[in-house]
Amino acid sequence: MVLVLFLSAILFALMFPETPTGRFAKRHFVDAPANWLNNISPVKVFALIGVAVVVAVCSTAFAAEMALIAAGDLTAYFEIAVTLAVLASKLRIRQFASRAMIETRQALIGARRLCKRLHVRVRRSRLRRHAKPQSSDEDGGMALA
C-alpha cells in the first residue's frame, strides 16, 4: 500500500511537474532519495541489498511467524502512538496553564499600574486645588468705617 502511494506520487510528479503538488512530490519523492543514493557508499548499498534479500526470504519461508511479528509490532506501534498522544496532551495542558498564569500575571500587573495611576491622579488633583482666599471680615466683606 505504501509502495503504491509512493509510486503514484512519483508518477504525479512526472506528469504534472509545474503544479505546486508536483513540485512538492518531485522534491520529496524523487530528488531526496536520489541525493541520498548519490551520497551512500558502495558498502552500504550491498548491506541494504543483503537486508532486502533476507527479509524477502524470511517472509516467504516463515509467513505465519512474520504475521505474528507484524501483529506484535502493530500493538507496539499503537501503544507508542497512545503514549505520544497522552504526552502531547499533557504538554498542551501545561502550556495552556503556563500561558494562563502569564496572562493572569500580566492582567494583575496592568490593574496595579492602573490603580496606581488613578490614585496618583486623585492625589495630584487634591493637592492642586487652591484654597480661595477668605476675607478677614466676618460680616460678609462690608467694611464699616
Side-chain angles (χ1 to χ4, degrees), residues 26-65:
K26 184 177 184 298
R27 185 178 338 118
H28 292 289
F29 297 116
V30 177
D31 294 341
N35 289 336
W36 182 73
L37 287 173
N38 283 337
N39 295 331
I40 198 168
S41 66
V43 175
K44 289 182 182 177
V45 171
F46 289 122
L48 287 174
I49 291 172
V51 168
V53 168
V54 168
V55 167
V57 168
C58 288
S59 65
T60 55
F62 307 108
E65 289 81 6

Short mmCIF file of all heavy atoms in Angstrom, two decimals, residues 26-65:
data_model
loop_
_atom_site.label_atom_id
_atom_site.label_comp_id
_atom_site.label_asym_id
_atom_site.label_seq_id
_atom_site.Cartn_x
_atom_site.Cartn_y
_atom_site.Cartn_z
N LYS A 26 8.02 15.91 -6.39
CA LYS A 26 9.35 15.72 -7.00
C LYS A 26 10.46 15.98 -6.00
O LYS A 26 11.43 15.23 -5.92
CB LYS A 26 9.51 16.64 -8.21
CG LYS A 26 10.82 16.42 -8.96
CD LYS A 26 10.88 17.30 -10.18
CE LYS A 26 12.11 17.04 -11.00
NZ LYS A 26 13.35 17.30 -10.33
N ARG A 27 10.29 17.05 -5.21
CA ARG A 27 11.32 17.39 -4.24
C ARG A 27 11.48 16.30 -3.19
O ARG A 27 12.60 15.95 -2.81
CB ARG A 27 10.98 18.72 -3.56
CG ARG A 27 12.04 19.21 -2.62
CD ARG A 27 11.72 20.56 -2.00
NE ARG A 27 10.76 21.37 -2.73
CZ ARG A 27 9.58 21.76 -2.24
NH1 ARG A 27 9.23 21.45 -1.04
NH2 ARG A 27 8.76 22.49 -2.99
N HIS A 28 10.35 15.76 -2.69
CA HIS A 28 10.43 14.83 -1.57
C HIS A 28 10.51 13.36 -1.99
O HIS A 28 11.07 12.55 -1.24
CB HIS A 28 9.23 15.02 -0.65
CG HIS A 28 9.26 16.33 0.07
ND1 HIS A 28 10.16 16.59 1.08
CD2 HIS A 28 8.55 17.47 -0.10
CE1 HIS A 28 9.97 17.82 1.51
NE2 HIS A 28 9.01 18.38 0.82
N PHE A 29 9.96 13.00 -3.14
CA PHE A 29 9.92 11.59 -3.52
C PHE A 29 10.87 11.24 -4.65
O PHE A 29 11.06 10.06 -4.94
CB PHE A 29 8.50 11.18 -3.90
CG PHE A 29 7.53 11.29 -2.77
CD1 PHE A 29 6.48 12.18 -2.83
CD2 PHE A 29 7.68 10.52 -1.64
CE1 PHE A 29 5.59 12.30 -1.78
CE2 PHE A 29 6.80 10.63 -0.59
CZ PHE A 29 5.74 11.52 -0.65
N VAL A 30 11.45 12.22 -5.32
CA VAL A 30 12.40 11.93 -6.40
C VAL A 30 13.78 12.48 -6.05
O VAL A 30 14.77 11.75 -6.03
CB VAL A 30 11.89 12.51 -7.75
CG1 VAL A 30 12.92 12.27 -8.84
CG2 VAL A 30 10.57 11.89 -8.13
N ASP A 31 13.84 13.77 -5.76
CA ASP A 31 15.14 14.40 -5.52
C ASP A 31 15.79 13.95 -4.22
O ASP A 31 16.99 13.69 -4.18
CB ASP A 31 14.99 15.93 -5.51
CG ASP A 31 14.61 16.48 -6.87
OD1 ASP A 31 14.80 15.75 -7.87
OD2 ASP A 31 14.11 17.62 -6.94
N ALA A 32 15.01 13.87 -3.13
CA ALA A 32 15.58 13.48 -1.84
C ALA A 32 16.15 12.05 -1.86
O ALA A 32 17.29 11.84 -1.44
CB ALA A 32 14.55 13.63 -0.74
N PRO A 33 15.41 11.05 -2.36
CA PRO A 33 16.02 9.71 -2.44
C PRO A 33 17.22 9.65 -3.40
O PRO A 33 18.18 8.94 -3.14
CB PRO A 33 14.89 8.80 -2.93
CG PRO A 33 13.64 9.52 -2.57
CD PRO A 33 13.97 10.96 -2.68
N ALA A 34 17.15 10.42 -4.50
CA ALA A 34 18.28 10.43 -5.44
C ALA A 34 19.52 11.01 -4.78
O ALA A 34 20.63 10.48 -4.94
CB ALA A 34 17.91 11.22 -6.69
N ASN A 35 19.36 12.10 -4.02
CA ASN A 35 20.50 12.68 -3.30
C ASN A 35 21.04 11.72 -2.26
O ASN A 35 22.25 11.60 -2.07
CB ASN A 35 20.11 14.00 -2.64
CG ASN A 35 19.89 15.10 -3.65
OD1 ASN A 35 20.43 15.04 -4.75
ND2 ASN A 35 19.09 16.08 -3.28
N TRP A 36 20.12 11.03 -1.56
CA TRP A 36 20.55 10.07 -0.54
C TRP A 36 21.33 8.93 -1.19
O TRP A 36 22.36 8.49 -0.67
CB TRP A 36 19.34 9.53 0.21
CG TRP A 36 19.70 8.58 1.29
CD1 TRP A 36 20.26 8.85 2.49
CD2 TRP A 36 19.53 7.15 1.25
NE1 TRP A 36 20.45 7.70 3.21
CE2 TRP A 36 20.00 6.64 2.47
CE3 TRP A 36 19.02 6.27 0.30
CZ2 TRP A 36 19.99 5.28 2.75
CZ3 TRP A 36 19.00 4.93 0.59
CH2 TRP A 36 19.48 4.45 1.81
N LEU A 37 20.84 8.43 -2.33
CA LEU A 37 21.55 7.34 -3.02
C LEU A 37 22.88 7.81 -3.60
O LEU A 37 23.82 7.01 -3.70
CB LEU A 37 20.66 6.75 -4.12
CG LEU A 37 19.49 5.90 -3.63
CD1 LEU A 37 18.60 5.51 -4.79
CD2 LEU A 37 19.99 4.68 -2.90
N ASN A 38 22.97 9.06 -4.01
CA ASN A 38 24.25 9.58 -4.52
C ASN A 38 25.30 9.68 -3.41
O ASN A 38 26.49 9.53 -3.68
CB ASN A 38 24.06 10.96 -5.15
CG ASN A 38 23.44 10.86 -6.52
OD1 ASN A 38 23.51 9.84 -7.18
ND2 ASN A 38 22.81 11.95 -6.95
N ASN A 39 24.87 9.92 -2.18
CA ASN A 39 25.81 10.09 -1.07
C ASN A 39 26.12 8.80 -0.33
O ASN A 39 26.95 8.81 0.58
CB ASN A 39 25.26 11.12 -0.08
CG ASN A 39 25.16 12.49 -0.70
OD1 ASN A 39 25.93 12.83 -1.60
ND2 ASN A 39 24.21 13.28 -0.23
N ILE A 40 25.51 7.71 -0.70
CA ILE A 40 25.70 6.45 0.03
C ILE A 40 26.94 5.72 -0.52
O ILE A 40 27.25 5.80 -1.71
CB ILE A 40 24.43 5.59 -0.06
CG1 ILE A 40 24.43 4.52 1.00
CG2 ILE A 40 24.27 4.98 -1.42
CD1 ILE A 40 23.09 3.83 1.13
N SER A 41 27.62 5.02 0.37
CA SER A 41 28.83 4.30 -0.06
C SER A 41 28.45 2.93 -0.62
O SER A 41 27.38 2.39 -0.34
CB SER A 41 29.77 4.14 1.13
OG SER A 41 29.19 3.28 2.09
N PRO A 42 29.34 2.33 -1.43
CA PRO A 42 29.05 1.01 -2.01
C PRO A 42 28.85 -0.08 -0.96
O PRO A 42 28.04 -1.00 -1.15
CB PRO A 42 30.28 0.71 -2.88
CG PRO A 42 30.88 2.04 -3.17
CD PRO A 42 30.56 2.90 -2.00
N VAL A 43 29.53 0.01 0.17
CA VAL A 43 29.36 -0.99 1.23
C VAL A 43 27.93 -0.94 1.78
O VAL A 43 27.29 -1.98 1.99
CB VAL A 43 30.39 -0.74 2.36
CG1 VAL A 43 30.15 -1.67 3.53
CG2 VAL A 43 31.81 -0.88 1.83
N LYS A 44 27.41 0.25 1.95
CA LYS A 44 26.04 0.39 2.44
C LYS A 44 25.03 -0.11 1.41
O LYS A 44 23.99 -0.66 1.77
CB LYS A 44 25.74 1.84 2.80
CG LYS A 44 26.46 2.31 4.05
CD LYS A 44 26.11 3.73 4.38
CE LYS A 44 26.89 4.21 5.61
NZ LYS A 44 26.62 5.62 5.90
N VAL A 45 25.34 0.07 0.13
CA VAL A 45 24.44 -0.43 -0.92
C VAL A 45 24.35 -1.95 -0.83
O VAL A 45 23.25 -2.53 -0.86
CB VAL A 45 24.93 0.00 -2.32
CG1 VAL A 45 24.14 -0.69 -3.42
CG2 VAL A 45 24.82 1.50 -2.47
N PHE A 46 25.50 -2.62 -0.70
CA PHE A 46 25.48 -4.09 -0.59
C PHE A 46 24.79 -4.53 0.70
O PHE A 46 24.09 -5.55 0.72
CB PHE A 46 26.91 -4.65 -0.67
CG PHE A 46 27.50 -4.55 -2.05
CD1 PHE A 46 28.68 -3.86 -2.26
CD2 PHE A 46 26.86 -5.12 -3.15
CE1 PHE A 46 29.22 -3.74 -3.53
CE2 PHE A 46 27.40 -5.02 -4.42
CZ PHE A 46 28.59 -4.33 -4.62
N ALA A 47 24.97 -3.80 1.79
CA ALA A 47 24.30 -4.15 3.04
C ALA A 47 22.79 -4.00 2.90
O ALA A 47 22.03 -4.86 3.37
CB ALA A 47 24.82 -3.25 4.17
N LEU A 48 22.32 -2.95 2.26
CA LEU A 48 20.88 -2.77 2.04
C LEU A 48 20.31 -3.86 1.14
O LEU A 48 19.21 -4.37 1.39
CB LEU A 48 20.60 -1.39 1.44
CG LEU A 48 20.76 -0.21 2.39
CD1 LEU A 48 20.61 1.10 1.64
CD2 LEU A 48 19.73 -0.29 3.50
N ILE A 49 21.04 -4.22 0.12
CA ILE A 49 20.59 -5.31 -0.75
C ILE A 49 20.52 -6.62 0.03
O ILE A 49 19.57 -7.40 -0.10
CB ILE A 49 21.50 -5.44 -1.99
CG1 ILE A 49 21.32 -4.22 -2.90
CG2 ILE A 49 21.22 -6.73 -2.77
CD1 ILE A 49 22.31 -4.15 -4.04
N GLY A 50 21.52 -6.87 0.89
CA GLY A 50 21.52 -8.07 1.72
C GLY A 50 20.33 -8.10 2.68
O GLY A 50 19.68 -9.14 2.86
N VAL A 51 20.03 -6.98 3.32
CA VAL A 51 18.89 -6.91 4.23
C VAL A 51 17.59 -7.16 3.48
O VAL A 51 16.70 -7.89 3.95
CB VAL A 51 18.86 -5.53 4.96
CG1 VAL A 51 17.54 -5.32 5.67
CG2 VAL A 51 20.02 -5.44 5.93
N ALA A 52 17.46 -6.59 2.27
CA ALA A 52 16.25 -6.80 1.48
C ALA A 52 16.09 -8.27 1.10
O ALA A 52 14.98 -8.82 1.15
CB ALA A 52 16.29 -5.93 0.23
N VAL A 53 17.19 -8.93 0.75
CA VAL A 53 17.13 -10.36 0.39
C VAL A 53 16.74 -11.20 1.61
O VAL A 53 15.90 -12.10 1.51
CB VAL A 53 18.48 -10.82 -0.21
CG1 VAL A 53 18.56 -12.34 -0.32
CG2 VAL A 53 18.69 -10.17 -1.56
N VAL A 54 17.32 -10.90 2.77
CA VAL A 54 17.00 -11.66 3.98
C VAL A 54 15.53 -11.48 4.36
O VAL A 54 14.84 -12.45 4.71
CB VAL A 54 17.93 -11.24 5.14
CG1 VAL A 54 17.45 -11.77 6.47
CG2 VAL A 54 19.35 -11.71 4.87
N VAL A 55 15.02 -10.27 4.26
CA VAL A 55 13.61 -10.02 4.58
C VAL A 55 12.71 -10.75 3.59
O VAL A 55 11.70 -11.36 3.99
CB VAL A 55 13.32 -8.51 4.59
CG1 VAL A 55 11.83 -8.22 4.60
CG2 VAL A 55 13.99 -7.85 5.78
N ALA A 56 13.06 -10.76 2.30
CA ALA A 56 12.24 -11.45 1.31
C ALA A 56 12.24 -12.95 1.55
O ALA A 56 11.18 -13.60 1.48
CB ALA A 56 12.76 -11.13 -0.09
N VAL A 57 13.39 -13.53 1.86
CA VAL A 57 13.47 -14.98 2.11
C VAL A 57 12.70 -15.35 3.37
O VAL A 57 11.94 -16.32 3.39
CB VAL A 57 14.95 -15.43 2.19
CG1 VAL A 57 15.07 -16.85 2.72
CG2 VAL A 57 15.61 -15.32 0.83
N CYS A 58 12.90 -14.58 4.43
CA CYS A 58 12.20 -14.87 5.69
C CYS A 58 10.70 -14.71 5.56
O CYS A 58 9.93 -15.49 6.13
CB CYS A 58 12.73 -13.99 6.80
SG CYS A 58 14.39 -14.44 7.34
N SER A 59 10.26 -13.73 4.81
CA SER A 59 8.82 -13.52 4.68
C SER A 59 8.16 -14.62 3.86
O SER A 59 7.01 -14.96 4.10
CB SER A 59 8.53 -12.15 4.06
OG SER A 59 9.02 -12.11 2.74
N THR A 60 8.88 -15.20 2.91
CA THR A 60 8.28 -16.31 2.16
C THR A 60 8.41 -17.63 2.91
O THR A 60 7.50 -18.45 2.87
CB THR A 60 8.94 -16.44 0.77
OG1 THR A 60 10.35 -16.57 0.93
CG2 THR A 60 8.62 -15.25 -0.09
N ALA A 61 9.49 -17.82 3.63
CA ALA A 61 9.69 -19.08 4.33
C ALA A 61 8.90 -19.15 5.62
O ALA A 61 8.40 -20.23 5.99
CB ALA A 61 11.19 -19.29 4.61
N PHE A 62 8.80 -18.07 6.32
CA PHE A 62 8.12 -18.06 7.62
C PHE A 62 6.96 -17.06 7.60
O PHE A 62 6.95 -16.07 8.33
CB PHE A 62 9.11 -17.66 8.73
CG PHE A 62 10.36 -18.50 8.75
CD1 PHE A 62 11.56 -17.97 8.35
CD2 PHE A 62 10.30 -19.82 9.17
CE1 PHE A 62 12.71 -18.73 8.37
CE2 PHE A 62 11.45 -20.58 9.20
CZ PHE A 62 12.66 -20.05 8.79
N ALA A 63 5.99 -17.32 6.78
CA ALA A 63 4.89 -16.36 6.59
C ALA A 63 4.06 -16.21 7.87
O ALA A 63 3.70 -15.09 8.24
CB ALA A 63 4.01 -16.80 5.44
N ALA A 64 3.75 -17.32 8.55
CA ALA A 64 2.92 -17.24 9.75
C ALA A 64 3.66 -16.51 10.87
O ALA A 64 3.07 -15.67 11.57
CB ALA A 64 2.53 -18.64 10.21
N GLU A 65 4.94 -16.81 11.02
CA GLU A 65 5.73 -16.14 12.05
C GLU A 65 5.87 -14.65 11.75
O GLU A 65 5.83 -13.82 12.67
CB GLU A 65 7.11 -16.78 12.18
CG GLU A 65 7.10 -18.16 12.81
CD GLU A 65 6.73 -19.26 11.80
OE1 GLU A 65 6.59 -18.95 10.60
OE2 GLU A 65 6.58 -20.41 12.23
#
